Amino acid sequence: MSKQLLLLAGDFVEDYEIMVPFQALQAFGYTVHAVCPGKQKGQTVATAIHDFEGDQTYSEKRGHNFALNASFDQIRAEDYAGLIIPGGRAPEYLRLDAQVIAIVQHFFQADKPVAAICHGAQLLAAAKVLEGRTCSAYPACRPEVELAHGRYAEIAIDAAYTDGKLVTAPAWPAHPAWIAQFVAVLGARVSL
Amino acid sequence: MSKQLLLLAGDFVEDYEIMVPFQALQAFGYTVHAVCPGKQKGQTVATAIHDFEGDQTYSEKRGHNFALNASFDQIRAEDYAGLIIPGGRAPEYLRLDAQVIAIVQHFFQADKPVAAICHGAQLLAAAKVLEGRTCSAYPACRPEVELAHGRYAEIAIDAAYTDGKLVTAPAWPAHPAWIAQFVAVLGARVSL
Amino acid sequence: MSKQLLLLAGDFVEDYEIMVPFQALQAFGYTVHAVCPGKQKGQTVATAIHDFEGDQTYSEKRGHNFALNASFDQIRAEDYAGLIIPGGRAPEYLRLDAQVIAIVQHFFQADKPVAAICHGAQLLAAAKVLEGRTCSAYPACRPEVELAHGRYAEIAIDAAYTDGKLVTAPAWPAHPAWIAQFVAVLGARVSL
Amino acid sequence: MSKQLLLLAGDFVEDYEIMVPFQALQAFGYTVHAVCPGKQKGQTVATAIHDFEGDQTYSEKRGHNFALNASFDQIRAEDYAGLIIPGGRAPEYLRLDAQVIAIVQHFFQADKPVAAICHGAQLLAAAKVLEGRTCSAYPACRPEVELAHGRYAEIAIDAAYTDGKLVTAPAWPAHPAWIAQFVAVLGARVSL
Amino acid sequence: MSKQLLLLAGDFVEDYEIMVPFQALQAFGYTVHAVCPGKQKGQTVATAIHDFEGDQTYSEKRGHNFALNASFDQIRAEDYAGLIIPGGRAPEYLRLDAQVIAIVQHFFQADKPVAAICHGAQLLAAAKVLEGRTCSAYPACRPEVELAHGRYAEIAIDAAYTDGKLVTAPAWPAHPAWIAQFVAVLGARVSL
Amino acid sequence: MSKQLLLLAGDFVEDYEIMVPFQALQAFGYTVHAVCPGKQKGQTVATAIHDFEGDQTYSEKRGHNFALNASFDQIRAEDYAGLIIPGGRAPEYLRLDAQVIAIVQHFFQADKPVAAICHGAQLLAAAKVLEGRTCSAYPACRPEVELAHGRYAEIAIDAAYTDGKLVTAPAWPAHPAWIAQFVAVLGARVSL
């Protein structure tokens, strides 16, 4: 199986949640292709800074422009060993795209590793792949996980949860655990 | 029945979507109480400006601070003739609040008028009141409406949809139609 | 007389002060045409968020882009039953436009209803229509009202003042009273 | 006569229009005291960046915090050889302050040099000192100059106008001419 | 040797350049302590978004608040196997701190791995550890590298350079190569 | 000798540090030409607001767009009597430009007056003109001054330092002293 991973990006993806897995997984040695429907390699997606600054929910500021390194309409899900779904405000609208849904479903049907974080669970719910599975998600997305017949894992904000090949986490503070569990599911071994 | 209406607010509610119905309905002659869990009369919620500026989904900027005119823990749903649920990013987290869910369910159980717009549908879905009903919502929330066994009304961005006592619309361009249908459901008659 | 109303917009009009009357009056059943000199139907004006955040005067942030629904150079003042002048920073420069001044004067000469709020009084003062009239305005505009020989109405920030067909108010907290008085002057009757 | 100059500051004064004269005049050798009603030496006023970025009027962004170097309630107008009134959004509300108006009037009654720029003319109009005088101002303030029975000087955006001891200019591009004319009126001689 | 790494943070560190190595190295299995002089564990540093948006140099926007997980005055350099120096605007002022300089020098004297990126080279130059070494840096910092008698490595923006135990790179696009070379120098082995 | 002065500008120059000397020196009577490599007369540089708002180093916000009044590739250093180097983030990248370095060196070789403030010292260090000279600079630039074999003058934040024809200062609060010393070195005499 290939060492290529696919990352589903969109405008206003959370800035950390796209760049940290994109770069960390490359540092491990994987090839990671970041794509967005309707955009080509070299184009950018706008990112959002989601942070907690004293309000009842996260604030949003404008982040970096993230440059895609592959073209959505030229990739084939079959060529990838695993899928990464960052959070932020991108999953909300990406779930309306039939090809995006088909890509998500491919990885579950093929029993390949999938890592989703934060609002990434919105894509899993819309793809109807959560039935019978336990996953974490941004806590405010719990109702969506449950409407989609998934079991919501109540874990710490910096923890991750692995159910079979599905690795999920509540938000970017969980990146270290989430990435470590994902590379483990992908079969990597690290000795320090 | 009283002419009092209840409005459910939260941080990062969309700026237009809270202020236009709040003030327009008062201009008609209704009393409108805007409340937020955990906040008192006179405190404010932060608002968000959601607009389309060329990206694949809406942008967000910081809006006005909206001053609440009633205290969440002092109101009783029974005292209100109708409920207003604005959109933005507030419904996402308000749906985790059991009292908010109970308030939403009260209005449906009592068959009282409810007006929800944009992401307000997230609260309806979480309250499990959509089964057997047709509603509009922000288009990207359609999967949530359908996961909650509601029927999604495909209507123009400036149109509203009335199903019984439930009046819904896709986003703030629909305010005129949405408010007009809501006051009609509330029994108002206007002659110009 | 027609039920059409005309709204004078410009860049950096206050965001609430243009959208709330624009949409609320449509919810009542009026047709409202929002126009700006030099701009066509479908183009936008930039809006400003004016709020109080602890300084000695209002702060300004960037608001929504407001889409005009009519073209300034294609409308005729004679076709409208009433005029709406929002505040913000637009009236300051709109008062330099001779056609804008002529439009304002038309409504007074024809004794048709005019609603002005906040800095909208700057347009009334420049059009020299305040002599012998009492009006409200943003408090810091009082000197302009008085230089134009108008009488300044000292009223609460959420109150409005009707003098004949002229309905004025200090700022957006007064929208409910201001709109209610304006539709009353326009001849509307509402029964809840 | 003293070489001390007084500068009237307020929140959202234009950033350039307060700092350039404040520092340039000190570079010439004058002592300049910047004061704001209700604030003490060492406190700051918020400043605004007014610029032209493609809209029909100036845009506003947040500028530096400007530190006052004297306390409004401890200065006496009699102690100063000249007065400086910057523009921006401060003059609009400062004109409501009776002491500010009295200070402005003192300099005219004593026939001492006064330099006003941009919206500074709003203070001159409110102080009723423009009758029989010719002044420049931000072009959109022309109606206020004329309502106050002043003559508006139509000059280039980077030019200044001296009428007796009054030196005025349209906006910050005129600082060099405006400051040069002001120090000339103050009696300074410079040889390069 | 311990698997603990030390990261030197400060206000306006670049947002990606602190979070990506901090989390990626934890995903590998290292413990990473992020500290800032004058701040305690749990306090935050402000971060900056440095991006290229069409100007001759990078733009800056406000990023996340990054929470420190250790207290500067309670750590000992001797306890760490390696040092990480992110870029942004923090190194510029951190280089004035004698303890920071001593920490940097400790790692070089002990011949322990050091990873510096972008403006991190400013700290290396100020610590006078570059003589006889070749390093990369943000290109605009080349004169500082050379004034400090280092050799500047001209490499691609997404490449990294290893000279003995020192691993450097021009900016955040190089994170994958930079982190991979750093963990290699630290002795890690990864099999995918 | 001509009364023309040259000012070296670049994107994200500090807003005050370019406009105050540019306009103040013109108010004295000098001609000042502001140029930027790669840009023509009439084009603009972006400016940065550097201020202290409670963090360990300065914050940055977006300032005015500053319009250049001469074209870099059409000026000759020989035609100018003095050189002005503002601070901010422009000197960092301008020091990579060989022509900029040559211009700086010309003024020192010709023993003509040079005024540099804040990060302007980065250009002096890169031009290797500080050996044997004492200068002020933004305090965080002290290591660069010393790496370039200059002596760093420890002076108050609002003071300036003259060493021969070189006039330097730590940051914009020092503008009055810095400009006064510079015009003195240029030979000006002012009588108030």
Side-chain angles (χ1 to χ4, degrees), chain B residues 14-161:
Chain B
E14 213 284 333
D15 201 6
Y16 278 163
E17 292 180 4
I18 187 165
M19 192 52 106
V20 175
F22 179 72
Q23 293 194 319
L25 289 163
Q26 289 181 79
F28 273 93
Y30 298 98
T31 295
V32 185
H33 286 161
V35 297
C36 173
K39 302 206 184 196
Q40 303 303 312
K41 177 181 176 175
Q43 288 187 298
T44 60
V45 290
T47 73
I49 304 287
H50 285 172
D51 205 355
F52 286 86
E53 305 187 287
D55 301 297
Q56 290 188 346
T57 190
Y58 50 88
S59 60
E60 177 169 325
K61 296 191 288 281
R62 190 66 169 73
H64 297 84
N65 294 316
F66 179 94
L68 304 166
N69 67 344
S71 297
F72 183 82
D73 55 13
Q74 289 175 12
I75 59 98
R76 300 191 324 144
E78 292 73 14
D79 295 341
Y80 295 90
L83 177 69
I84 305 143
I85 307 175
R89 291 201 287 102
E92 181 186 83
Y93 80 89
L94 291 177
R95 64 182 166 181
L96 298 186
D97 187 292
Q99 284 180 271
V100 167
I101 294 295
I103 289 170
V104 173
Q105 292 171 336
H106 162 81
F107 282 86
F108 281 86
Q109 287 157 5
D111 195 30
K112 293 193 285 192
V114 173
I117 197 162
C118 204
H119 286 75
Q122 293 185 309
L123 256 180
L124 304 181
K128 299 184 196 293
V129 295
L130 289 179
E131 186 153 3
R133 287 194 172 88
T134 300
C135 76
S136 174
Y138 185 67
C141 294
R142 178 181 186 154
E144 296 180 52
V145 168
E146 294 176 346
L147 282 172
H149 307 294
R151 282 185 302 274
Y152 176 76
E154 284 192 80
I155 57 176
I157 192 72
D158 60 356
Y161 192 92

Side-chain angles (χ1 to χ4, degrees), chain D residues 3 14-16 18-20 23-24 26-30 47 49-53 61-66 172-176 179-180 186-192, chain F residues 3 14-16 18-20 23-24 26-30 47 49-53 61-66 172-176 179-180 186-192:
Chain D
K3 295 193 309 177
E14 214 284 333
D15 201 6
Y16 278 164
I18 187 164
M19 193 51 108
V20 175
Q23 293 193 319
Q26 289 182 78
F28 273 92
Y30 299 98
T47 73
I49 304 288
H50 285 172
D51 206 355
F52 285 85
E53 306 187 286
K61 297 192 288 280
R62 188 68 168 74
H64 296 84
N65 295 316
F66 179 94
W172 52 256
H175 278 157
I179 294 169
L186 284 163
R189 280 177 305 171
V190 180
S191 79
L192 303 186
Chain F
K3 297 193 309 179
E14 214 283 332
D15 201 7
Y16 278 164
I18 187 166
M19 193 51 108
V20 175
Q23 293 194 319
Q26 289 181 76
F28 273 93
Y30 298 98
T47 73
I49 304 288
H50 286 171
D51 206 356
F52 285 86
E53 304 187 288
K61 295 191 288 279
R62 189 65 169 73
H64 297 83
N65 295 316
F66 179 94
W172 52 255
H175 278 158
I179 294 169
L186 284 164
R189 281 177 305 171
V190 180
S191 79
L192 303 186

Side-chain angles (χ1 to χ4, degrees), chain A residues 173-185:
Chain A
H175 278 157
W178 180 64
I179 294 169
Q181 291 182 30
F182 185 51
V183 300
V185 169

Side-chain angles (χ1 to χ4, degrees), chain D residues 39-61:
Chain D
K39 302 206 184 194
Q40 304 302 312
K41 178 181 176 175
Q43 288 187 297
T44 59
V45 290
T47 73
I49 304 288
H50 285 172
D51 206 355
F52 285 85
E53 306 187 286
D55 301 296
Q56 290 188 347
T57 190
Y58 50 88
S59 61
E60 177 167 325
K61 297 192 288 280

Side-chain angles (χ1 to χ4, degrees), chain E residues 71-118:
Chain E
S71 297
F72 183 82
D73 55 12
Q74 290 175 10
I75 59 98
R76 298 190 325 144
E78 291 73 13
D79 295 341
Y80 295 90
L83 177 69
I84 304 141
I85 307 175
R89 292 201 289 102
E92 181 187 83
Y93 80 90
L94 291 176
R95 63 183 166 178
L96 298 187
D97 187 293
Q99 284 181 274
V100 167
I101 294 295
I103 288 169
V104 173
Q105 291 171 337
H106 162 80
F107 282 86
F108 281 87
Q109 286 157 3
D111 196 29
K112 291 193 286 193
V114 173
I117 195 162
C118 203

